[in-house]
Amino acid sequence: MPLHAITEVYGEAGLRDRFALELESFPDADRQKLTEALDLAATLHSGDRRVREPYLNHLLRVAIRIIKYYGVRDTDVLVAALLHDAVEDHPDELGGVPADTPYPEATEAALAVLSHRFNCRVADLVRSVTNPEYDPARDRHEQYREHVAENLERDPWARVIKISDFTDNGVGVIHTTLEKAFRAATKYRPLVPMLRELVGRPDTPLSTSAKEHILDQLDLAEERFAAILDA
């Protein structure tokens, strides 16, 4: 059953069950680490929602997709996938710093906690997919696209996380309100050509079949963006 269909029918409980099912074949130590990451994500995002659903659903779908459809069993990548929005959304809470701490300092504190709690690679992966503090005088979407391009250029494994995140937001754009769908399509549509090119690179650490699956998903996302923006 598609991940958004699981969400619609069974909600967070269904996604948690599906994630647990995917983890059954992992070694005990890896399963424990991934469970710890999920618990941390659930705590940090406990009050967050994505319009119709708990925010944790998005994080679960991103991680499950990487395991099931991309064939990735790298625990660090999966931990980072579960926590890919933790530093950006809750830097002070994760980093244990006051709420009024400037964003760059809070970000570094949060990344240091991830490095200590998991390892430096997890922290580096999360850093690669964490948005910086934007210049208010410049277009926010343009800065976002520049940040994504720069970080995915240098970090092939971060591409895997960002592509799953993008798929959840892009293909899943029909599972939200019209207003949010329009904003998402405006933000994400210009990224499609860049992601297609990155997916096809030899250093992107995915199988040929996984890359073909992703390219099909990018085509579907583009179709949905076009339907929203070109109507």
Side-chain angles (χ1 to χ4, degrees), residues 152 159 163 166 188-202 204 211-226:
L152 299 194
R159 295 173 200 167
I163 287 165
F166 179 89
Y188 294 123
R189 189 182 191 184
L191 285 178
V192 174
M194 180 189 73
L195 292 177
R196 281 199 186 105
E197 192 275 329
L198 286 170
V199 168
R201 289 189 183 183
T204 297
K211 291 181 178 183
E212 290 173 349
H213 169 80
I214 290 168
L215 292 174
D216 287 342
Q217 293 290 287
L218 291 176
D219 288 344
L220 181 56
E222 171 61 26
E223 290 175 10
R224 292 179 174 177
F225 294 153

Side-chain angles (χ1 to χ4, degrees), residues 3 14 34 48 60 84 91 112 148 157 186 194 214 217 225 230:
L3 296 177
L34 288 164
D48 300 342
L60 282 163
H84 75 269
V148 170
W157 276 111
T186 302
M194 180 189 73
I214 290 168
Q217 293 290 287
F225 294 153
D230 299 341

Side-chain angles (χ1 to χ4, degrees), residues 68-142:
K68 177 64 178 177
Y69 296 105
Y70 301 176
V72 172
R73 299 174 62 83
D74 186 318
T75 305
D76 289 345
V77 173
L78 297 171
V79 168
L82 288 166
L83 296 167
H84 75 269
D85 282 330
V87 172
E88 185 175 316
D89 293 347
H90 298 282
D92 51 341
E93 185 177 353
L94 177 57
V97 296
D100 60 352
T101 302
Y103 180 72
E105 296 175 22
T107 295
E108 291 304 317
L111 289 167
V113 169
L114 292 184
S115 181
H116 175 74
R117 188 159 177 177
F118 296 100
N119 58 53
C120 292
R121 183 170 177 240
V122 167
D124 286 343
L125 286 166
V126 174
R127 180 191 295 277
S128 291
V129 295
T130 296
N131 292 336
E133 187 171 38
Y134 292 130
D135 180 353
R138 294 183 56 209
D139 181 80
R140 189 177 182 85
H141 290 340
E142 180 182 351

